[in-house]
């Protein structure tokens, strides 16, 4: 068999793989494994965003901690992104708007991070953990199908840090051992049977994914060896020492191998600063006569090469250095161009969109920067381009969402997605043809309809049943008003004053000094920002206060004016006069304010004005009364109208020009359109006057998707969360009989209950609504949720008593009764303690005494509520495994009382961690004390720095 025949066989294998995959509901635009395809090229024919002036985004938080949020590249199947968050949590997220569809947890190791990218195959998601396990979940539901602990001769420290690769019912992945022992590469069938495991003859596998060529797997390792094995049984076909073969110091291969079918070579990047290429023989051996070596670069390569049209794209550096992104000639590995990145290194593998290649070879390349001030870059390249002068654009998250970004980006159907250590997943697309998503995803609900755009949507969970969490006392809450949620409290318009309730218990906490508002039976909503509370203009009717960009805005109803004030000193900055009543709550988007002016029974006008100056940008006249408020998303602004004698309307306008994009006839309403999932939801109708009706329209086209009769109201704006639309049903012109939850996608009723019904607010999984008799009601799933994590010194003194503290949290919304907490050392019970009770949303600590008999490494396990005394929302987070190393009491190699890690040098600094790593890497002792520094010591110092543990 010649190489041409081998190439055709490989092509046929890919075609067959695609056919099998397509039969499992995978489409061509899916990104089902690390670096996109079986050859790890990182190439997709999908469109990706290229116009920096049209960029729009959403983001979603997946993390419960500020570090180690997302460290592995996600995958995409259909409209769902699958991502591994902190503590091994698998999340399914809607790729169109960031909605979390479901989450599933693994029995993860003591560290939060996961380096092994997940993989999809045959309706399943395969996930590895950093404590040596492999899990498989149903891709549609998130139900765990099976898990297994992989074979290891050092199981306490086995980490599965490579991507998972799926082919024809089998998965392949590798393990890594930081503290010695032989690492393994594994093969399982998709149903959980281990087919083979191969013990490494050279080094472990750290981010070192495999490439599949016909009957063979090829992968690199920690000692910069390339290995080819039979994929059927794991036996060795060929091994090659890159350092010896190329006469270089390659150090390590910490990335996957890429195969280029045009040149029939594999490409690998090394931490020694080299890229290498080798031809592949038909029998799976390396063609040593066909090899390429790049020039050495200043920093290390840890990215998997992306390759297209004879060009290789690869980045250098890490989180402590600057970086350079290189384009190399795949035929000889010479540099074509490079792009310097002073702010940080590139460790995530690049993604390439060939959508714009119409024969001229034009491509767009995307990569992330692994720096605290992370960025996503977009570069344009083409065959004759010999110098990269500047980027097309880059995106940088808001300051509060910045963190290191280790994984590379992925591309699907016009969007690019990337993630960072803060646990945020970002989706970036272009506005044209795709409804924009405002980057407002906070869980709290600070003003009318959630945010300054009045979208009425939150990423919070929401109850699946009509369970009433609490019912407040009569606080004279204004009928039909909408609460706001901030800092664990609920703020409600109560006519005389704005009053406060505890959001978790409904306990009355007192009144603010801010007057309420119920002029002419007004339902003015409350607003909150940084400790201040507003309840509309003193002469306002129905409309509340908008807070945006250091200013606040609200309307004087009969004065026909809207006002803008400086939030810091309450100085009036401008006013704007409308024709008719200034009734709405102003909405804000991209530097403009959107207002309505209602001439009762004679229509009115809607306006866009400059938020800074109050100058009119545009206005349009409408026939029916625009009594309600705008909502805005992307380039579209929505509002409704009321007709005193017949039906009203919903309008969609170009927010920049006022051009009418579409309009639909609906029941009369003042309610604000709510925007979620690419749809617009609106509640309408008047009790005993017109039909009650709730509608769902496509946000872009106006196509009606569904409507429900008998539910809704003209003054009750719908809100959306967790795939549900929450809307009230009235029992008079101003009061409500019940709250309804409708399926957001088809309008079917999910539940209802006869309490509350006003426009709701949602936060932390709880739905809040005002009802009759001046009371407020809260709906939520009711159960405790206990979670444990051990706080362990990275070094524990042998032969001495050590206090090991376990932190217990109740994340549920119900108090937990008595339960037991047990600590085990190497599987043997150390002690059991009893926690008599733990209030909801609170923490406690349990301390165990432990005296290790000898120096060494120990596994500490915490098991909580093993008697199942507490019925919890999540029973899977009651276990925690950590490691502790016993050593001499003084383990800090610097012993420097003048260290900046005050007090008295007892805390480790980042500089000392880096110095220790350099000593270890260079085989040198600590310069002042002469202490030996091995990898274990480096890790201990890093953990001491990370958790601010005193030496």
């Amino acid at each position: 068999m010649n190489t041409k025949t081998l190439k055709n066989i490989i092509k046929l294998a890919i075609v067959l793989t695609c056919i099998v995959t397509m039969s499992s509901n995978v489409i061509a635009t899916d990104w089902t494994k690390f670096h996109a395809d079986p050859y790890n090229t990182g190439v997709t024919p999908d469109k990706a965003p290229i116009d920096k002036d049209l960029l729009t985004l959403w983001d979603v938080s997946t993390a419960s901690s500020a570090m180690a949020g997302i460290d592995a590249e996600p995958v995409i199947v259909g409209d769902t992104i699958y991502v591994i968050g902190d503590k091994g949590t698998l999340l399914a997220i809607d790729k169109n708007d960031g909605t979390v569809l479901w989450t599933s947890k693994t029995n993860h190791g003591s560290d939060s991070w996961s380096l092994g990218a997940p993989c999809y195959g045959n309706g399943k998601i395969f996930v590895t953990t950093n404590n040596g396990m492999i899990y498989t979940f149903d891709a549609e539901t998130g139900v765990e199908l099976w898990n297994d602990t992989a074979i290891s001769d050092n199981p306490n420290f086995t980490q599965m840090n490579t991507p998972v690769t799926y082919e024809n019912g089998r998965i392949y992945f590798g393990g890594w051992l930081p503290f010695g022992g032989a690492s393994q590469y594994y093969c399982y069938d998709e149903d959980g049977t281990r087919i083979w495991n191969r013990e490494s003859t050279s080094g472990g596998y750290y981010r070192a994914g495999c490439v599949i060529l016909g009957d063979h797997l090829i992968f690199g390792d920690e000692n910069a060896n390339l290995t080819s094995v039979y994929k059927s049984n794991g036996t060795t076909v060929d091994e090659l020492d890159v350092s010896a073969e190329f006469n270089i110091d390659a150090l390590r291969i910490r990335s996957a191998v890429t195969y280029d079918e045009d040149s029939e070579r594999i490409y690998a990047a090394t931490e020694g600063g080299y890229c290498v290429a080798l031809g592949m023989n038909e029998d799976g051996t390396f063609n040593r006569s066909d090899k390429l070596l790049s020039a050495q670069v200043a920093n290390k390569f840890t990215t998997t090469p992306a390759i297209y049209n004879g060009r290789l794209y690869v980045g250098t550096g890490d989180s402590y250095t600057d970086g350079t992104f290189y384009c190399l000639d795949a035929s000889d590995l010479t540099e074509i161009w490079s792009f310097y990145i002073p702010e940080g290194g590139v460790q995530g593998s690049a993604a390439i969109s060939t959508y714009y290649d119409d024969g001229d070879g034009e491509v767009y390349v995307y990569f992330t920067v692994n720096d605290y001030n992370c960025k996503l870059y977009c570069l344009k390249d083409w065959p004759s381009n010999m110098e990269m002068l500047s980027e097309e654009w880059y995106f940088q998250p808001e300051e509060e969402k910045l963190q290191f970004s280790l994984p590379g980006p992925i591309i699907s159907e016009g969007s690019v997605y990337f993630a960072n250590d803060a646990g945020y997943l970002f989706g970036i697309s272009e506005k044209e043809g795709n409804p924009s998503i405002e980057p407002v995803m906070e869980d709290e609900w600070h003003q009318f309809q959630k945010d300054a755009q009045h979208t009425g949507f939150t990423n919070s969970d929401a109850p699946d049943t009509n369970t009433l969490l609490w019912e407040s006392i009569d606080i004279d809450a204004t009928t039909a008003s909408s609460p706001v949620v901030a800092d664990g409290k609920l703020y409600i318009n109560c006519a005389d004053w704005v009053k406060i309730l505890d959001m978790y218990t409904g306990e009355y906490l007192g009144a603010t000094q801010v007057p309420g508002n119920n002029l002419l039976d007004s339902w003015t909503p409350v607003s909150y920002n940084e400790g201040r509370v507003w309840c509309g203009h003193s002469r306002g009717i129905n409309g509340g206060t908008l807070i945006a960009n250091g200013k606040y805005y609200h309307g004087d109803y009969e004065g026909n004016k809207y006002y803008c004030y400086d939030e810091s000193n309450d100085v009036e900055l401008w006013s704007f006069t409308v024709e008719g009543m200034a009734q709405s709550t102003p909405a804000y988007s991209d530097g403009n304010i959107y207002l309505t002016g209602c001439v009762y029974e004679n229509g009115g006008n809607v306006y866009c004005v400059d938020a800074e100056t109050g100058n009119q940008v545009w206005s349009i006249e409408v026939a029916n009364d625009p009594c309600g408020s705008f909502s805005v998303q992307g380039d579209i602004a929505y509002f409704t109208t009321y007709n005193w004698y017949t039906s009203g309307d919903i309008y969609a306008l170009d927010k920049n020009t006022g051009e009418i994009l579409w309009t639909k006839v609906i029941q009369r309403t003042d309610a604000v359109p709510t925007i979620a999932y690419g749809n617009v939801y609106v509640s309408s109708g008047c009790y005993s006057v017109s039909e009650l009706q709730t509608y769902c329209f496509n946000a872009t086209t106006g196509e009606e998707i569904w409507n429900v009769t008998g539910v809704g109201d003209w003054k009750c704006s719908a809100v959306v969360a967790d795939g549900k639309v929450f809307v009230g049903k009235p029992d008079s012109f101003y009061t409500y009989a019940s709250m309804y939850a409708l399926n957001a996608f088809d309008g079917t009723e999910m539940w209802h209950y006869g309490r509350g019904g006003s426009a709701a607010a949602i936060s932390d999984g709880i739905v809040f609504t005002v009802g009759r008799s001046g009371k407020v009601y809260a709906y939520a799933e009711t159960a405790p949720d206990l979670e444990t994590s051990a706080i362990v010194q990275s070094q524990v003194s042998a032969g001495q008593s050590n206090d090991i503290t376990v932190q217990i949290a109740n994340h549920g919304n119900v108090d937990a009764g008595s339960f037991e907490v047990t600590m085990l050392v190497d599987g043997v019970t150390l002690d059991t303690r009893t926690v008599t009770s733990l209030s909801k949303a609170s923490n406690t600590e349990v301390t165990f005494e432990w005296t290790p008999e000898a120096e060494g490494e120990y596994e500490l396990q915490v098991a909580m509520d093993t008697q199942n005394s507490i019925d919890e929302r999540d029973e899977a987070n009651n276990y925690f495994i950590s490691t502790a190393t016993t050593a001499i009491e003084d383990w800090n190699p610097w012993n420097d009382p003048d260290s900046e890690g005050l007090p008295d040098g007892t805390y480790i600094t980042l500089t000392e961690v880096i110095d220790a790593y350099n000593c270890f890497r260079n085989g040198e002792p600590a310069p002042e004390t002469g202490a030996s520094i091995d990898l274990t010591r480096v890790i201990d110092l890093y953990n001491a720095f990370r958790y601010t543990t005193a030496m």
Side-chain angles (χ1 to χ4, degrees):
M1 185 185 299
N2 58 32
T3 55
K4 188 68 174 179
T5 304
L6 175 62
K7 181 175 178 178
N8 289 334
I9 289 174
I10 292 171
K11 282 186 174 180
L12 177 61
I14 289 182
V15 171
L16 292 174
T17 299
C18 290
I19 291 173
V20 171
T21 308
M22 293 281 281
S23 69
S24 303
N25 299 320
V26 177
I27 58 176
T29 52
D30 289 340
W31 190 291
T32 61
K33 66 174 293 291
F34 172 76
H35 230 207
D37 58 42
Y39 292 161
N40 298 329
T41 64
V43 175
T44 176
D46 272 19
K47 183 180 180 180
I50 62 173
D51 191 333
K52 64 181 178 182
D53 295 324
L54 293 177
L55 297 183
T56 180
L57 73 127
W58 54 256
D59 62 61
V60 58
S61 175
T62 67
S64 59
S65 60
M67 276 287 288
I70 302 174
D71 286 313
E73 188 177 282
V75 295
I76 295 180
V77 181
D79 285 335
T80 305
I81 302 176
Y82 299 93
V83 62
I84 304 297
D86 68 336
K87 300 179 182 178
T89 301
L90 173 65
L91 299 97
I93 297 171
D94 190 305
K95 76 176 184 182
N96 299 301
D97 57 22
T99 302
V100 177
L101 305 176
W102 52 257
T103 63
S104 294
K105 292 192 176 182
T106 64
N107 180 16
H108 206 251
S110 58
D111 291 311
S112 296
W113 43 261
S114 286
L115 294 180
C119 184
Y120 172 88
N122 196 26
K124 304 176 180 70
I125 297 293
F126 306 96
V127 176
T128 56
T129 72
N130 66 13
N131 65 341
M133 298 188 70
I134 172 72
Y135 281 78
T136 300
F137 299 91
D138 183 280
E140 183 70 23
T141 64
V143 172
E144 182 183 320
L145 301 178
W146 59 267
N147 72 74
D148 191 42
T149 300
I151 290 175
S152 172
D153 60 4
N154 198 349
N156 291 336
F157 296 103
T158 300
Q159 298 177 9
M160 300 306 184
N161 290 338
T162 73
V164 184
T165 297
Y166 174 91
E167 185 199 47
N168 294 337
R170 291 188 174 190
I171 55 173
Y172 307 91
F173 56 94
W176 181 72
L177 288 168
F179 299 113
S183 297
Q184 307 266 347
Y185 228 91
Y186 305 90
C187 171
Y188 281 73
D189 72 20
E190 63 180 82
D191 296 320
T193 301
R194 187 187 304 112
I195 305 300
W196 55 259
N197 55 283
R198 176 190 180 274
E199 186 174 290
S200 172
T201 58
S202 53
Y205 308 105
Y206 192 96
R207 301 180 75 201
C210 67
V211 67
I212 301 177
L213 298 182
D215 294 330
H216 310 107
L217 297 184
I218 295 94
F219 43 82
D221 65 30
E222 285 288 84
N223 289 327
N225 290 277
L226 290 168
T227 301
S228 173
V229 303
Y230 287 109
K231 68 181 184 184
S232 60
N233 55 27
T235 58
T236 303
V237 177
D238 198 2
E239 290 183 288
L240 182 144
D241 184 328
V242 171
S243 295
E245 182 68 32
F246 289 90
N247 195 27
I248 59 174
D249 186 2
L251 294 181
R252 287 176 287 271
I253 296 176
R254 285 193 162 184
S255 57
V257 175
T258 303
Y259 178 75
D260 174 40
E261 61 178 330
D262 290 331
S263 65
E264 299 178 342
R265 296 189 185 104
I266 59 167
Y267 292 81
T270 75
E271 283 203 336
Y274 298 93
C275 283
V276 298
L278 280 162
M280 289 302 301
N281 296 320
E282 60 187 45
D283 59 358
T285 59
F286 303 115
N287 183 356
R288 289 163 171 81
S289 64
D290 179 20
K291 62 184 181 183
L292 303 173
L293 176 67
S294 74
Q296 186 179 22
V297 299
N299 285 322
K300 62 185 179 183
F301 289 111
T302 57
T303 61
T304 298
I307 191 166
Y308 181 72
N309 208 18
R311 292 191 168 204
L312 198 76
Y313 301 92
V314 64
T316 68
D318 57 29
S319 56
Y320 301 116
T321 68
D322 56 2
T324 302
F325 189 77
Y326 290 92
C327 173
L328 306 180
D329 189 323
S331 67
D332 59 13
L333 293 184
T334 58
E335 180 182 325
I336 299 175
W337 54 256
S338 62
F339 180 73
Y340 177 62
I341 306 130
E343 60 265 33
V346 179
Q347 294 191 270
S349 304
I352 301 173
S353 169
T354 65
Y355 178 85
Y356 302 94
D357 181 2
D358 55 4
D360 58 1
E362 178 180 300
V363 297
Y364 287 83
V365 184
Y366 301 82
F367 62 89
T368 54
V369 176
N370 192 25
D371 179 75
Y372 181 84
N373 298 305
C374 63
K375 290 180 179 179
L376 170 73
Y377 276 95
C378 169
L379 305 182
K380 177 181 177 181
D381 196 25
W382 58 97
S384 61
N385 181 36
M386 304 303 292
E387 185 176 9
M388 183 56 63
L389 298 177
S390 65
E391 74 276 0
E392 289 293 299
W393 53 263
Y394 71 80
F395 167 76
Q396 187 171 43
E398 302 163 84
E399 183 176 357
E400 63 271 19
K401 298 173 184 177
L402 290 172
Q403 251 303 347
F404 295 95
S405 183
L406 181 64
I410 60 176
I411 296 169
S412 179
E413 292 190 303
S415 298
V416 60
Y417 306 90
F418 82 102
N420 69 7
D421 258 348
Y424 283 96
L425 176 67
F426 301 92
I428 301 175
S429 57
E430 291 181 6
K431 295 179 182 179
E432 184 176 305
N434 187 2
S436 286
I437 306 299
E438 298 278 357
V440 181
M441 291 292 178
E442 299 86 357
D443 188 34
E444 292 192 331
W445 195 285
H446 284 187
Q447 51 187 311
F448 177 58
Q449 288 297 94
K450 173 74 165 58
D451 48 47
Q453 294 77 39
H454 303 334
T455 60
F457 170 73
T458 176
N459 270 343
S460 171
D461 290 335
D464 295 326
T465 62
N466 62 353
T467 304
L468 192 65
L469 179 63
W470 53 256
E471 173 182 333
S472 78
I473 63 172
D474 181 358
I475 59 171
D476 198 23
T478 299
T479 299
S481 64
S482 174
V484 296
V485 187
D487 301 331
K489 302 179 180 65
L490 207 64
Y491 296 83
I492 307 101
N493 177 3
C494 295
D496 52 353
W497 301 104
V498 173
K499 296 178 181 177
I500 310 172
L501 300 176
D502 183 287
M503 69 177 286
Y504 296 104
T505 66
E507 177 187 358
Y508 177 60
L509 302 178
T512 69
Q513 297 303 305
V514 177
N517 186 336
N518 69 343
L519 297 173
L520 302 179
D521 293 318
S522 170
W523 55 85
T524 302
V526 179
S527 301
Y528 175 97
N529 191 44
E530 296 183 351
R532 291 193 64 185
V533 175
W534 293 262
C535 195
H537 192 280
S538 60
R539 295 187 299 275
I541 300 293
N542 298 344
T545 303
L546 162 74
I547 306 163
N549 288 354
K551 303 175 181 62
Y552 62 93
Y553 310 79
H554 47 217
D556 178 351
Y557 175 71
E558 291 187 341
N560 314 117
K561 286 186 177 182
Y562 290 92
Y563 293 89
C564 169
Y565 303 88
D566 187 311
E567 186 181 349
S568 65
N569 55 25
D570 298 321
V571 171
E572 181 185 322
L573 301 178
W574 54 259
S575 64
F576 181 84
T577 302
V578 298
E579 182 179 353
M581 306 304 181
Q583 180 170 313
S584 69
T585 303
Y588 171 87
S589 181
D590 289 342
N592 290 326
I593 299 294
Y594 297 85
L595 312 167
T596 67
C598 174
V599 182
Y600 283 115
E601 301 186 56
N602 287 292
N605 291 268
V606 295
Y607 304 85
C608 172
V609 302
D610 187 285
E612 295 293 325
T613 65
N615 295 329
Q616 180 174 305
V617 178
W618 55 256
S619 71
I620 67 167
E621 184 177 358
V622 293
N624 293 324
D625 299 356
C627 302
S629 304
F630 271 94
S631 58
V632 189
Q633 186 175 83
D635 278 340
I636 305 180
Y638 306 87
F639 70 95
T640 59
T641 66
Y642 188 97
N643 187 308
W644 289 75
Y645 307 102
T646 183
S647 301
D649 316 275
I650 178 173
Y651 283 82
L653 309 180
D654 184 309
K655 77 173 185 182
N656 301 304
T657 66
E659 175 190 358
I660 298 175
L661 302 177
W662 57 264
T663 182
K664 296 289 182 179
V665 175
I666 60 174
Q667 298 292 344
R668 66 193 79 185
T669 188
D670 284 4
V672 181
T674 297
I675 313 163
Y677 315 128
N679 299 326
V680 175
Y681 304 87
V682 63
S683 169
S684 65
C686 295
Y687 181 83
S688 76
V689 176
S690 68
E691 195 83 71
L692 304 177
Q693 210 144 11
T694 299
Y695 300 85
C696 172
F697 299 97
N698 180 282
T700 305
T701 67
E703 176 189 359
E704 183 176 313
I705 297 173
W706 55 259
N707 76 76
V708 175
T709 301
V711 178
D713 184 52
W714 65 288
K715 58 195 177 303
C716 175
S717 300
V719 299
V720 178
D722 197 18
K724 307 173 188 71
V725 180
F726 294 91
V727 64
K729 182 175 182 178
D731 59 358
S732 75
F733 201 68
Y734 284 104
T735 60
Y736 293 91
S738 54
M739 171 61 71
Y740 277 74
L742 308 178
N743 184 299
F745 305 103
D746 60 20
T748 55
E749 181 183 326
M750 301 182 74
W751 59 262
H752 77 274
Y753 193 71
R755 297 289 189 276
S758 74
I762 303 176
S763 181
D764 201 17
I766 309 173
V767 176
F768 304 95
T769 177
V770 175
R772 66 178 73 189
S773 304
K775 294 183 178 182
V776 181
Y777 301 88
Y779 292 91
E781 305 294 340
T782 56
D785 181 16
L786 304 176
E787 183 175 10
T788 176
S789 60
I791 305 171
V792 182
Q793 293 173 294
S794 57
Q795 291 282 343
V796 178
S797 297
Q800 299 183 27
S801 176
N802 300 268
D803 286 342
I804 308 298
T805 302
V806 178
Q807 188 173 62
I808 311 293
N810 181 1
H811 296 302
N813 47 34
V814 173
D815 295 346
S818 177
F819 58 92
E820 293 183 345
V821 182
T822 299
M823 174 164 282
L824 302 91
V825 178
D826 288 343
V828 178
T829 299
L830 174 68
D831 199 359
T832 297
R833 302 294 172 87
T834 299
V835 177
T836 56
S837 65
L838 185 57
S839 300
K840 58 191 172 186
S842 65
N843 301 280
T844 191
E845 291 185 346
V846 176
T847 300
F848 295 86
E849 290 185 15
W850 175 41
T851 304
E853 294 182 358
E855 296 181 20
E857 292 164 348
Y858 296 83
E859 181 179 81
L860 303 183
Q861 297 172 294
V862 178
M864 184 169 59
D865 192 30
T866 57
Q867 304 298 317
N868 202 24
S869 304
I870 308 298
D871 185 14
E872 301 179 58
R873 289 192 303 192
D874 182 2
E875 300 281 359
N877 56 358
N878 290 2
Y879 301 90
F880 186 88
I881 301 175
S882 183
T883 57
T885 303
T886 62
I888 57 173
E889 186 173 357
D890 182 7
W891 55 272
N892 181 351
W894 309 116
N895 270 338
D896 183 7
D898 298 322
S899 166
E900 62 184 10
L902 299 176
D904 300 325
T906 57
Y907 286 87
I908 301 301
T909 66
L910 181 58
T911 299
E912 290 172 337
V913 174
I914 296 171
D915 288 344
Y917 173 75
N918 287 329
C919 287
F920 157 70
R921 182 174 181 178
N922 297 324
E924 299 172 351
E928 296 297 328
T929 64
S932 175
I933 300 180
D934 57 12
L935 181 58
T936 301
R937 184 67 60 88
V938 174
I939 293 172
D940 289 339
L941 290 169
Y942 170 73
N943 286 330
F945 157 73
R946 181 178 179 184
Y947 298 110
T948 59
T949 303
M951 69 176 192

